[in-house]
């Protein structure tokens, strides 16, 4: 009986480690500007000031060495469209102020800019995912790197992640 309990506890422990190593730990990313699954105000889109919404980050694991922020639109006609990328953000970061980039390195988005590009769907309602990743290291990438470059650099280094999804449709 004792062996079965020890074996069960060991199996749970190893499963937890495997889940954590695979990026299974959960973080929280929220915004005071919109709720999970809610509508993103036009102020944060190409129809408004095209400024980034305020973001709050919680539950960063103690072993995190850096954070990565990605905002993308999986509903774009051309496939996944990246609106914002930033990496080497301090793991102590708990807020990103409205209209301000996080302190870190910014990449080039699919608009060809190195900052936030708000929702701007050509038609219909699109989903926009604000994703936060905790890494076990900083990324050795130059400013302006593109999404594929840092996706490859992140591989195998994600220890936790979280996401916030908002929706936007243009008023025509």
């Amino acid at each position: 009986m004792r062996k079965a309990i020890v074996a069960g506890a060991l199996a749970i422990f190893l499963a937890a480690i495997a889940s954590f190593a695979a990026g299974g730990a959960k973080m929280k990313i929220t915004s005071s500007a919109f709720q999970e699954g809610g509508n993103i105000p036009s102020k944060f889109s190409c129809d408004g000031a095209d400024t980034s919404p305020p973001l709050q980050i919680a539950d960063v694991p103690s072993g995190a060495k850096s954070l990565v922020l990605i905002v993308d639109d999986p509903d774009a006609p051309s496939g996944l469209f990246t609106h914002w990328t930033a990496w080497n953000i301090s793991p102590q970061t708990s807020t990103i102020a409205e209209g301000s980039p996080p302190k870190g390195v910014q990449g080039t988005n699919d608009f060809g800019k190195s900052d936030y590009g708000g929702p701007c769907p050509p038609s219909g309602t699109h989903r926009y995912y604000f994703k936060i990743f905790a890494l076990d290291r900083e990324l050795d990438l130059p400013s302006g790197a593109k999404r594929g470059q840092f996706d490859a650099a992140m591989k195998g280094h994600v220890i936790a992640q979280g996401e916030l999804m908002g929706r936007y449709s243009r008023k025509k």
Side-chain angles (χ1 to χ4, degrees):
M1 176 74 167
R2 186 173 178 163
K3 283 184 179 179
I5 292 171
V6 170
L10 182 59
I12 291 170
F13 177 71
L14 291 175
I17 288 174
S19 174
F20 188 74
K26 296 293 177 201
M27 294 171 47
K28 290 181 186 164
I29 181 168
T30 57
S31 179
S32 57
F34 62 95
Q35 299 296 314
E36 169 64 32
N39 292 322
I40 298 171
S42 63
K43 150 185 200 175
F44 305 110
S45 76
C46 67
D47 295 322
D50 208 14
T51 187
S52 59
L55 299 171
Q56 295 78 44
I57 301 164
D59 300 334
V60 176
S62 60
K65 302 288 189 244
S66 70
L67 301 177
V68 170
L69 174 67
I70 300 170
V71 179
D72 56 31
D73 170 7
D75 301 320
S78 61
L80 186 67
F81 191 92
T82 301
H83 288 258
W84 200 15
T85 59
W87 60 91
N88 293 350
I89 302 166
S90 167
Q92 283 74 43
T93 301
S94 60
T95 60
I96 299 172
E98 178 178 320
S100 296
K103 288 186 171 80
V105 183
Q106 293 199 74
T108 301
N109 63 27
D110 287 338
F111 292 114
K113 301 187 311 183
S114 289
D115 56 4
Y116 174 82
C120 199
S123 64
T125 301
H126 286 218
R127 297 167 297 155
Y128 296 86
Y129 287 88
F130 292 73
K131 301 174 187 176
I132 193 77
F133 298 89
L135 306 183
D136 62 5
R137 68 180 193 124
E138 287 193 344
L139 299 179
D140 184 21
L141 292 172
S143 176
K146 294 193 180 210
R147 174 75 184 263
Q149 293 172 284
F150 75 82
D151 279 348
M154 280 179 26
K155 192 171 182 169
H157 297 284
V158 176
I159 58 175
Q161 62 190 60
E163 71 179 27
L164 168 66
M165 189 272 288
R167 299 173 191 278
Y168 186 75
S169 56
R170 299 186 73 187
K171 315 277 188 277
K172 294 190 177 184

